[in-house]
Amino acid sequence: MHMSWEDLQTIESLVRTGSVVGAARELGLRHSSISRRVDALERSLGEPLFLRGPRLRPTTLATAIAARATAMAKHAHEIEALIEGERRARELRIVITTNDVLAPLVFTALAGRALEETVQVRVSDVEAELEPGTTDLALRPGGQPSGALRGWRLGRLRVGIFRARSAQQGARTWILPSADLRKRSSMRWWKSVPDDAEGRVECNSLLSMRDACIAGLGRAALPSLLAAHDTRLQLEEEIDGGPPVWLLAPATRRADARRRRVAQLLVSSIRSARGVWVT
């Protein structure tokens, strides 16, 4: 048979208070509701739970059930406290996810801002799901967000071909992205590089491509965000194909004032970043 939590609470309260009146008062039920519930349980069990008299006397089975219900109630209260603590912590915490290329835009936007919230920035090439209670905002390259997401289009990344200032001008050796990196939709600008490009080094991240370029190992097609302000690098030419960048939030989640404020701060600051976007 199935015994509900309400059934367990009824037995526990009857055992502890010793009367239908006491249990009814504690549970906020009518006396008749308590009696009917106990009668139904006893019929289902095929044996009594209480011996009737001036005072209810629980059977061995009722006492054992009540003891376990008491332990369950303790755990239930602990779970409620855990959930409430997490809810309060969430009110003062904003979680933003982005990749290592775009992370500097987030850090610059947050720098010098007096925020009431604790902002957690999670940097990873893995695109974390925007789940309530897990991630609030995501800064990502890519196309129009799907129906499960809403977002603010911040601009299209400026991309160029760079070489080390110390490298010989006109050298045709390239630093190539790995096959996995090349497959990403945000790497469409790689089509601007000749099909027969000769490469000495292959890298699995844009940061390592930039570092290889600084070391003089070849030319590299890179977002200007990564390379334009590095005095060790020289821009040879700008190329097309930079991806749009979006600040995203769950479409189904109603943002509170704090999350809206952080989102608006990021949008305003990142859109105005110099030398980052195609104009």
Side-chain angles (χ1 to χ4, degrees), residues 66-272:
R68 287 161 177 77
T70 299
M72 290 174 64
K74 178 183 177 182
H75 291 308
H77 292 321
E78 290 173 351
I79 291 171
E80 289 175 355
L82 175 66
I83 293 172
E84 178 62 17
E86 178 62 19
R87 184 190 66 79
R88 291 180 179 177
R90 287 284 304 142
E91 290 179 351
L92 295 175
R93 185 179 72 231
I94 306 293
V95 180
I96 305 169
T97 180
T98 188
N99 60 31
D100 50 7
V101 174
L102 299 176
L105 294 174
V106 176
F107 298 141
T108 299
L110 297 176
R113 307 285 180 169
L115 297 175
E116 298 177 4
E117 305 82 4
T118 297
V119 178
Q120 293 183 356
V121 180
R122 298 176 181 173
V123 179
S124 172
D125 284 335
V126 178
E127 293 189 352
E129 293 298 325
L130 287 169
E131 298 179 358
T134 302
T135 307
D136 299 292
L137 299 167
L139 184 65
R140 295 177 182 169
Q144 186 82 18
S146 67
L149 299 172
R150 60 185 175 89
W152 300 264
R153 190 179 188 277
L154 304 179
R156 183 177 291 277
L157 281 179
R158 178 176 288 177
V159 181
I161 296 174
F162 293 84
R163 64 173 175 83
R165 290 186 182 275
S166 59
Q168 182 179 356
Q169 189 169 1
R172 309 312 297 172
T173 303
W174 288 84
I175 297 162
L176 304 177
S178 66
D180 287 341
L181 187 59
R182 201 176 307 186
K183 289 177 183 176
R184 295 183 186 177
S185 60
S186 58
M187 285 286 289
R188 290 174 183 167
W189 72 75
W190 185 249
K191 295 178 181 178
S192 300
V193 177
D195 292 335
D196 59 351
E198 177 186 350
R200 295 169 55 191
V201 176
E202 185 177 288
C203 300
N204 66 352
S205 75
L206 290 174
L207 289 180
S208 60
M209 288 179 65
R210 180 197 61 186
D211 292 343
C213 187
I214 291 171
L217 295 175
R219 311 161 80 212
L222 297 167
S224 295
L225 169 64
L226 284 182
H229 300 295
D230 194 313
T231 57
R232 296 167 293 180
L233 294 176
Q234 174 71 46
L235 173 66
E236 291 191 344
E237 62 176 301
E238 290 193 355
I239 57 178
D240 295 329
V245 175
W246 292 78
L247 182 67
L248 303 173
T252 56
R253 183 173 185 177
R254 184 177 180 181
D256 59 30
R258 289 173 176 171
R259 286 169 180 78
R260 284 197 302 271
R261 184 167 61 250
V262 172
Q264 290 165 1
L265 182 156
L266 292 174
V267 169
S268 175
S269 175
I270 294 174
R271 276 180 176 165
S272 62

Side-chain angles (χ1 to χ4, degrees), residues 7-58:
D7 294 335
L8 295 174
Q9 284 181 306
T10 299
I11 295 172
E12 189 277 333
S13 184
L14 283 168
V15 170
R16 182 163 39 78
T17 63
S19 72
V20 172
V21 173
R25 184 183 302 114
E26 185 173 272
L27 298 176
L29 298 172
R30 295 176 180 273
H31 304 170
S32 57
S33 297
I34 296 289
S35 297
R36 283 196 300 270
R37 184 174 291 176
V38 173
D39 289 343
L41 286 170
E42 290 179 332
R43 284 196 301 272
S44 297
L45 289 168
E47 61 179 287
L49 290 169
F50 297 92
L51 302 177
R52 275 68 169 175
R55 181 178 176 85
L56 282 180
R57 288 186 296 152

